[in-house]
Amino acid sequence: MDDALILMADGGGGERMMDLVRQEILSRFAPADASGELARLADAAVLAEAEGQVAFTTDSYTIRPLEFPGGDIGRLAVAGTVNDLACVGARPAALSLALVIEEGLERAVLGRVLDSAAACAREVDAPIVCGDTKVVERGGADRLFINTAGVGRIEGGRRLAAEGIRPGDRVLVSGPVADHGVAVMSRREGLRFASAVVSDAVPLWPLAEALLAACPGLRVLKDPTRGGLAAAVNELAEAAGVGIEVEEARVPVRPAVAGACEALGLDPLNVANEGKFVVVVAPEESEAALSAMRSHALGREAAEIGEVRPAPARGPRVTLRTRIGGERVLEMPYGQDLPRIC
Amino acid sequence: MDDALILMADGGGGERMMDLVRQEILSRFAPADASGELARLADAAVLAEAEGQVAFTTDSYTIRPLEFPGGDIGRLAVAGTVNDLACVGARPAALSLALVIEEGLERAVLGRVLDSAAACAREVDAPIVCGDTKVVERGGADRLFINTAGVGRIEGGRRLAAEGIRPGDRVLVSGPVADHGVAVMSRREGLRFASAVVSDAVPLWPLAEALLAACPGLRVLKDPTRGGLAAAVNELAEAAGVGIEVEEARVPVRPAVAGACEALGLDPLNVANEGKFVVVVAPEESEAALSAMRSHALGREAAEIGEVRPAPARGPRVTLRTRIGGERVLEMPYGQDLPRIC
């Protein structure tokens, strides 16, 4: 028996699986779970009663490679789900963690990835309270997939939703775009000149909390993951039934990221982020939102990038004022530029 | 473009993915979601405020084949998560559904499986309110994995937990064991003589509700999935710090299932169930629990199968009184008899 690799028997529901769960899961996540629910290994965790509405979200992560500059699938899985909760204004209350492991995965890799997930969860005090472990035979999965679901609490009955967006509202982004996608892609493609680019994967709840406190007129937060800023803005315009104009020159992009996108034939506006918000806010609070973000470590390079317009009678909802002064449609990406990016 | 098969671009976060989500997900699940949250396609769903504690659980399903006698991965994913909630006495309030699809999966198969998930969710009025779709390249997964997480409401502040188990309590099972594992395995192995065996996959919340109403002394419910009855009873004994004695002759097993287990070299007590409860109840309420179950479609063949004992000073916690009158240890299964069974 080679304990360095995960075997099919580690997922069978028997004594071996209990050992794996104790060694790899409970050791890392139970100490941070004040409720003690994870350690009970019951069929479901019971959360403490609390005031307010409950938010609920899920995401599966299939990123390749599992480890990349600035993060790994464990960090991504925790940050991504915390960020989805933050987008509706919910403080993360409890997370689940479900693993699908390909037989033969090195336990050392699993350990590193779970260490990283645990560290990320501690950053925002979001305990992992329930989970699941499945093992499939070699060739039945690509090393490791992680699903995280999250439950959050919305305090003060405040509702962030695209439906609150009005013409005249300002569109902001909390920092430079496309870092995550470019970091992963340049690792995958072996682009040496982009080696300085690291993923922005980070749990954004603290930034959301700062924005909620600073801006009573905060309409909505959205994390521009797959499909990048272009998809996020299009989805907001569609959901709100408005037009949005984005000014290309105002969208922050790091030079190394811009260079890598050029080399890869990608538009940075279509490339995934894992630690940024698109923020829509009432016009009179745009400055307050910018200043709240810029005075926070997670939003130092925040920028106003556009404005909400009345719904166009027909035609595209999102337009881009280009650097050279022209105007073009900022399209919803069609298929995908970067597979397996999250 | 062959619309009969899922392509990588269907998971890219762009227009194609939105089409897939509308056609395959929203069409099936949005009508049953009175909250309208799923249709909003926001980053997280916001649940209606309600009294009581919140339960939270997750499970990933990697079963092979995707469709088997009596069910499919879609039905299993919904029933399994509802049952995990029911085990802590929680009425299902909202489910998530996250798909990892292998490129090339037939859309017809996806459609059938999702139809089945939707029908199963309707059976217990458990709306799917959020989800995620990922596509990985051919060979990167085995056709389709589904993760469901669930949020439930515990009414009346009642807590079902292994810690409430006391010596003298009775152990019941809600019906014949091993149907699910044998149905899947006989399909996989092409066992013709077992063709009459169908999976028991069913959402058990209605049966839990009947038990909660009939038995104030209900200690705990547990669904004996991977590792079967043997694993479930061992986990309960371990968590409660008690011994449990099970009487083999009292454990209901259908003749066709017993025959198939014999042919496959399996002990039915180690084989997975997806529609059964192990029930522990105060001794004076054992009859009430049996009668509540037997008068319900989901528990017609319920039986009392054992009793809780004081914790043994040392040695095994769970013993089996065999048919021939002997006594042996009912062990926690070690690895697994049946891979990819759920």
Side-chain angles (χ1 to χ4, degrees), chain B residues 127-138:
Chain B
I128 283 152
V129 299
C130 57
D132 180 51
T133 303
K134 294 289 189 316
V135 181
V136 300
E137 66 284 358
R138 202 180 271 268

Side-chain angles (χ1 to χ4, degrees), chain A residues 15 43 60 133-134 226 333, chain B residues 15 43 57 60 133-134 226 333:
Chain A
E15 195 56 58
D43 295 285
S60 290
T133 303
K134 292 291 190 315
R226 274 181 297 179
Chain B
E15 194 56 57
D43 295 285
T57 190
S60 290
T133 303
K134 294 289 189 316
R226 274 182 296 179

Side-chain angles (χ1 to χ4, degrees), chain A:
Chain A
M1 185 170 81
D2 182 354
D3 271 347
L5 303 178
I6 302 290
L7 305 182
M8 284 302 288
D10 290 316
E15 195 56 58
R16 267 194 76 104
M17 194 179 86
M18 294 301 285
D19 286 345
L20 181 75
V21 167
R22 280 189 209 103
Q23 289 164 26
E24 304 293 348
I25 307 292
L26 293 189
S27 64
R28 290 182 171 90
F29 298 105
D33 172 24
S35 72
E37 286 294 315
L38 182 65
R40 296 181 62 248
L41 293 173
D43 295 285
V46 178
L47 310 185
E49 230 168 317
E51 294 290 306
Q53 285 185 301
V54 169
F56 182 31
T57 189
T58 188
D59 255 319
S60 290
Y61 297 84
T62 62
I63 191 165
R64 193 192 52 199
L66 295 179
E67 299 171 288
F68 47 82
D72 58 32
I73 191 172
R75 179 170 182 81
L76 197 62
V78 170
T81 287
V82 167
N83 293 350
D84 282 340
L85 292 174
C87 282
V88 299
R91 177 192 300 276
L95 304 179
S96 66
L97 181 85
L99 308 174
V100 174
I101 306 174
E102 183 190 17
E103 185 186 22
L105 180 71
E106 305 86 338
R107 275 181 83 138
V109 171
L110 181 66
R112 286 200 301 273
V113 157
L114 294 176
D115 277 344
S116 170
C120 188
R122 277 195 304 271
E123 284 175 35
V124 283
D125 205 11
I128 283 151
V129 300
C130 57
D132 180 49
T133 303
K134 292 291 190 315
V135 181
V136 301
E137 67 284 358
R138 202 180 270 268
D142 189 5
R143 307 192 75 201
L144 176 64
F145 301 147
I146 300 182
N147 177 283
T148 44
V151 168
R153 305 280 183 190
I154 300 174
E155 287 147 10
R158 202 152 151 203
R159 186 76 192 257
L160 299 185
E163 290 82 346
I165 295 175
R166 299 278 172 270
D169 286 351
R170 301 301 157 82
V171 180
L172 287 55
V173 67
S174 66
V177 300
D179 291 3
H180 175 72
V182 165
V184 173
M185 209 59 192
S186 53
R187 167 76 186 268
R188 220 145 75 185
E189 305 284 312
L191 295 189
R192 287 182 185 255
F193 67 90
S195 63
V197 179
V198 297
S199 167
D200 55 347
V202 73
L204 288 170
W205 166 246
L207 187 64
E209 195 172 21
L211 280 163
L212 286 161
C215 306
L218 183 65
R219 310 294 195 209
V220 77
L221 299 172
K222 187 153 189 78
D223 60 334
T225 57
R226 274 181 297 179
L229 185 70
V233 173
N234 270 281
E235 283 170 26
L236 286 175
E238 169 92 22
V242 297
I244 292 180
E245 187 178 287
V246 173
E247 214 166 315
E248 188 176 24
R250 290 181 158 204
V251 178
V253 185
R254 297 184 206 285
V257 170
C261 283
E262 188 97 19
L264 292 162
L266 299 171
D267 182 342
L269 301 189
N270 291 349
V271 176
N273 310 275
E274 291 290 345
K276 299 290 153 28
F277 279 137
V278 174
V279 180
V280 184
V281 67
E284 65 278 13
E285 291 183 6
S286 176
E287 275 308 315
L290 268 180
S291 133
M293 287 196 282
R294 287 178 177 163
S295 59
H296 197 287
L298 299 172
R300 290 256 179 278
E301 298 166 76
E304 185 176 313
I305 61 168
E307 194 170 326
V308 177
R309 305 287 191 207
R314 58 200 176 101
R317 292 194 176 277
V318 182
T319 53
L320 187 74
R321 285 241 303 275
T322 64
R323 281 173 209 283
I324 54 169
E327 194 173 286
R328 68 170 174 90
V329 179
L330 181 59
E331 287 184 63
M332 181 76 177
Y334 178 67
Q336 64 176 17
D337 289 320
L338 303 176
R340 304 282 301 277
I341 209 71
C342 60

Side-chain angles (χ1 to χ4, degrees), chain B residues 8-322:
Chain B
M8 285 301 288
D10 290 316
E15 194 56 57
R16 267 195 76 106
M17 194 179 87
M18 295 301 285
D19 285 344
L20 181 75
V21 167
R22 280 189 210 102
Q23 290 164 26
E24 304 293 350
I25 307 290
L26 293 189
S27 63
R28 290 182 171 91
F29 298 105
D33 171 24
S35 72
E37 286 294 316
L38 182 66
R40 295 182 61 249
L41 292 175
D43 295 285
V46 177
L47 310 184
E49 231 168 316
E51 293 290 306
Q53 285 185 301
V54 169
F56 182 32
T57 190
T58 188
D59 256 318
S60 290
Y61 296 84
T62 62
I63 192 165
R64 195 193 50 200
L66 296 179
E67 299 171 287
F68 47 82
D72 58 32
I73 191 172
R75 179 169 181 82
L76 197 62
V78 170
T81 287
V82 167
N83 293 349
D84 282 340
L85 293 173
C87 282
V88 300
R91 177 191 300 276
L95 303 179
S96 66
L97 182 85
L99 308 174
V100 174
I101 306 174
E102 184 191 16
E103 184 188 24
L105 180 72
E106 305 85 338
R107 276 181 82 139
V109 171
L110 181 65
R112 285 200 301 273
V113 157
L114 294 176
D115 277 343
S116 170
C120 188
R122 277 194 303 271
E123 284 176 35
V124 283
D125 204 11
I128 283 152
V129 299
C130 57
D132 180 51
T133 303
K134 294 289 189 316
V135 181
V136 300
E137 66 284 358
R138 202 180 271 268
D142 188 6
R143 307 192 74 200
L144 176 64
F145 300 147
I146 300 183
N147 178 283
T148 44
V151 168
R153 306 280 183 188
I154 299 175
E155 288 147 11
R158 202 152 153 204
R159 186 75 191 259
L160 299 185
E163 291 81 347
I165 295 175
R166 300 280 171 269
D169 285 351
R170 301 302 156 82
V171 180
L172 286 56
V173 67
S174 66
V177 300
D179 291 3
H180 174 73
V182 165
V184 174
M185 208 59 192
S186 53
R187 167 77 187 268
R188 220 143 78 184
E189 305 283 312
L191 294 189
R192 286 181 184 257
F193 67 90
S195 62
V197 178
V198 297
S199 168
D200 56 346
V202 73
L204 289 170
W205 166 247
L207 187 63
E209 195 172 22
L211 280 164
L212 285 162
C215 306
L218 183 65
R219 310 294 195 207
V220 76
L221 299 172
K222 187 152 189 76
D223 61 332
T225 56
R226 274 182 296 179
L229 186 70
V233 173
N234 270 281
E235 283 169 26
L236 287 175
E238 169 92 21
V242 296
I244 292 180
E245 187 178 285
V246 173
E247 214 166 315
E248 188 176 22
R250 289 180 157 204
V251 178
V253 185
R254 297 184 205 283
V257 169
C261 283
E262 187 99 18
L264 292 162
L266 298 172
D267 182 342
L269 302 189
N270 292 349
V271 176
N273 309 275
E274 292 290 345
K276 299 290 152 33
F277 279 138
V278 174
V279 180
V280 184
V281 67
E284 66 276 12
E285 291 183 5
S286 175
E287 275 310 314
L290 268 181
S291 131
M293 287 197 281
R294 286 177 178 163
S295 59
H296 197 287
L298 299 172
R300 290 255 179 279
E301 297 168 77
E304 184 177 313
I305 61 167
E307 194 172 324
V308 178
R309 305 289 191 204
R314 58 202 176 103
R317 292 195 177 276
V318 182
T319 54
L320 187 74
R321 286 242 303 276
T322 64

